[in-house]
Amino acid sequence: MNTKRLIPAMMAAALVCTSLPMTVQADGAKIVTIGANLTEEQKQSMYQYFGTTADAVDTIEVTNADERKYMEGIASEAQIGTRTYSCSYVEPTTSGGIQVKVGNLTFVTSSMIASTLLTSGVENCNVVAASPMEVSGTGALTGIMMAYEKASGETLSEDQKAAATEELITTGEIADTIGQKDATDLINEVKQEVIKEGLTDEGEIKEAVNNAVKNYNISLTEDQLAKINSLMKNISQYDYDVKALKETLDNLDGKSGGFFSNLWTSVKGFFTGDSNNDGGIINGTNDDILGADAVIDSTLDAVVNNSKEEGGFWDKVTGFFKNLFGGGDDEAENEDTETAGTEDETEDTDDSDGSDDASADDENPDASIDPETGSPVDPETGLPINDADNTDSVSEGSDAVLENQTNGTTDSTVNDAENNDSASDITQ
């Protein structure tokens, strides 16, 4: 039985089973938070940026008083401010970890928000956080946690939400010294060590922090180290899902579940409405609304870039289904033919330059000597090597091989150039 013909039928049957009964996440499970100090026009622009409308989602207005509830005593007055402009769009999911996109936030990044949401107790969701103008974005975390609780019906621990805010502020302050990426990676590495190994002892936590700092070859002040130690001591009190932790950290690292896993998730999501770690609402944003100079970044960027380095996700999808339905058989045969041709050319080339014969002569000196005349002979034809006709024949054969090799190299180079142009068009 041809396995390649059987797989499509099996996948079709699986899809039917998966899609029955068909369930679609309603927009009622998605929440938008709006900064209270925005004008009406700015509020409408944020709905447009999120790719939704006020009628299609529930909305929470976030005030500066809400920010202070979570941030006072952790963030400075300058960081909290007196007005709230940050907005968010939250979509709880059932798996895939946390994916975040931010727009016009200058103090926090998508990775920082994803990591701190994990600390707050959130395990799976898609989030967009943005503002119509550039702001620090510290208030965005407050709105996101409020929106998640309303959308999911789950109440997050007040202490864990405070720990999340502490992590956001600590990471941001360290980023001023070593950069946002290194700061986020450093905090995540220590946090993963603390949670996975169940570290609670102050000395063990301090050692984990010092080891991470050495690994990144960075220099921090005693005050910064103390803040990280205090944060990790706080985080160590809570029970986190290690699997959820790994999923989100893999998202931030650009790691995916593998081609077939991603393909199945995409196909399944099409039938069930569960977008999981494909980004969901993140894919529906309209970046043009924020202007050409808007600062935008997303945790999905890491996965996309990783996919491009591996040859492109949709290129693989196309090739996969082409092979499933037999489209790759001819190509495989052509590849076999080309491989055989290459081997033949290699053998001819070896004959023409005599490198193989030289090796054989070293092992058995009498192999190319006529036992009667004692003269050198061609080991394949048995003719004397100084025979004029044979010499011409060998020369002509060598010239033909050289010409074939040259043409083959040129054709290959042209094909490679054309393929590179095509790949460039895809990735652009």
Side-chain angles (χ1 to χ4, degrees):
M1 179 180 293
N2 191 329
T3 305
K4 294 174 81 173
R5 299 293 190 268
L6 179 62
I7 293 177
M10 294 172 63
M11 288 187 67
L15 286 174
V16 171
C17 294
T18 303
S19 60
L20 295 174
M22 184 177 289
T23 58
V24 178
Q25 275 192 326
D27 276 346
K30 302 171 187 175
I31 306 291
V32 166
T33 69
I34 294 289
N37 296 107
L38 294 178
T39 66
E40 286 304 314
E41 183 179 355
Q42 289 172 328
K43 291 177 181 179
Q44 290 305 314
S45 72
M46 293 313 299
Y47 285 112
Q48 293 174 16
Y49 170 68
F50 292 141
T52 187
T53 64
D55 295 332
V57 295
D58 289 335
T59 300
I60 299 174
E61 188 172 83
V62 180
T63 66
N64 189 253
D66 293 321
E67 288 190 52
R68 290 181 177 278
K69 178 181 176 181
Y70 295 105
M71 302 183 69
E72 210 158 32
I74 300 174
S76 66
E77 280 295 318
Q79 290 168 332
I80 297 174
T82 58
R83 296 174 179 272
T84 300
Y85 298 109
S86 302
C87 303
S88 68
Y89 189 18
V90 177
E91 173 188 41
T93 55
T94 57
S95 63
I98 302 169
Q99 297 281 15
V100 180
K101 179 175 183 177
V102 301
N104 271 342
L105 306 187
T106 59
F107 181 77
V108 300
T109 65
S110 59
S111 296
M112 287 167 63
I113 290 180
S115 180
T116 53
L117 281 178
L118 188 67
T119 300
S120 74
V122 176
E123 294 180 357
N124 303 290
C125 72
N126 296 320
V127 173
V128 183
S131 168
M133 77 285 288
E134 289 190 2
V135 295
S136 68
T138 53
L141 181 63
T142 299
I144 292 167
M145 291 188 294
M146 292 171 63
Y148 179 82
E149 288 182 317
K150 182 171 183 178
S152 66
E154 176 186 351
T155 301
L156 300 173
S157 161
E158 293 296 325
D159 290 337
Q160 283 181 258
K161 287 191 286 188
T165 303
E166 180 184 355
E167 179 180 331
L168 185 71
I169 298 302
T170 300
T171 306
E173 290 177 350
I174 294 174
D176 290 338
T177 302
I178 63 175
Q180 291 174 322
K181 186 180 187 307
D182 281 348
T184 304
D185 291 346
L186 174 66
I187 294 297
N188 282 336
E189 181 171 320
V190 179
K191 182 165 67 174
Q192 184 174 18
E193 181 76 9
V194 168
I195 294 174
K196 286 182 65 176
E197 301 302 324
L199 304 183
T200 56
D201 179 74
E202 191 170 331
E204 292 178 333
I205 292 175
K206 186 175 182 179
E207 182 180 1
V209 172
N210 289 335
N211 288 339
V213 170
K214 289 179 182 178
N215 288 341
Y216 281 89
N217 193 28
I218 57 179
S219 178
L220 297 177
T221 66
E222 289 299 321
D223 181 58
Q224 289 172 325
L225 290 172
K227 285 185 177 181
I228 299 176
N229 284 319
S230 174
L231 170 65
M232 294 305 159
K233 181 64 178 175
N234 192 3
I235 289 176
S236 70
Q237 303 176 59
Y238 310 112
D239 184 23
Y240 291 98
D241 187 320
V242 175
K243 181 181 178 182
L245 171 74
K246 184 180 184 304
E247 283 185 319
T248 295
L249 294 184
D250 281 351
N251 290 342
L252 303 186
D253 287 339
K255 299 174 184 176
S256 61
F259 168 66
F260 289 104
S261 174
N262 289 336
L263 174 62
W264 178 251
T265 298
S266 298
V267 175
K268 181 181 176 183
F270 176 78
F271 282 91
T272 64
D274 184 4
S275 55
N276 288 334
N277 64 347
D278 289 338
I281 58 174
I282 294 177
N283 297 316
T285 57
N286 184 356
D287 294 343
D288 292 339
I289 296 295
L290 300 185
D293 297 328
V295 179
I296 296 173
D297 81 274
S298 167
T299 56
L300 288 177
D301 292 342
V303 177
V304 170
N305 291 334
N306 190 50
S307 178
K308 286 181 179 180
E309 290 174 3
E310 294 174 355
F313 178 75
W314 289 113
D315 288 344
K316 293 183 178 181
V317 171
T318 303
F320 172 68
F321 280 106
K322 188 173 183 181
N323 288 332
L324 274 183
F325 291 95
D329 291 343
D330 293 338
E331 292 180 4
E333 291 175 1
N334 290 337
E335 289 177 1
D336 291 341
T337 301
E338 291 173 1
T339 301
T342 303
E343 291 174 352
D344 290 341
E345 289 178 0
T346 303
E347 292 174 0
D348 289 343
T349 304
D350 290 340
D351 289 342
S352 64
D353 62 23
S355 58
D356 286 351
D357 294 341
S359 299
D361 291 345
D362 290 339
E363 296 175 2
N364 184 6
D366 295 332
S368 58
I369 302 298
D370 188 323
E372 295 182 0
T373 65
S375 301
V377 297
D378 188 316
E380 291 189 5
T381 64
L383 297 175
I385 289 180
N386 59 359
D387 183 271
D389 293 337
N390 182 59
T391 302
D392 292 341
S393 176
V394 172
S395 176
E396 290 173 4
S398 299
D399 292 340
V401 170
L402 180 60
E403 182 178 353
N404 287 338
Q405 287 180 322
T406 303
N407 290 339
T409 303
T410 303
D411 293 341
S412 174
T413 303
V414 172
N415 289 337
D416 288 345
E418 291 176 351
N419 291 336
N420 287 337
D421 290 340
S422 300
S424 176
D425 291 341
I426 293 172
T427 57
Q428 288 176 353

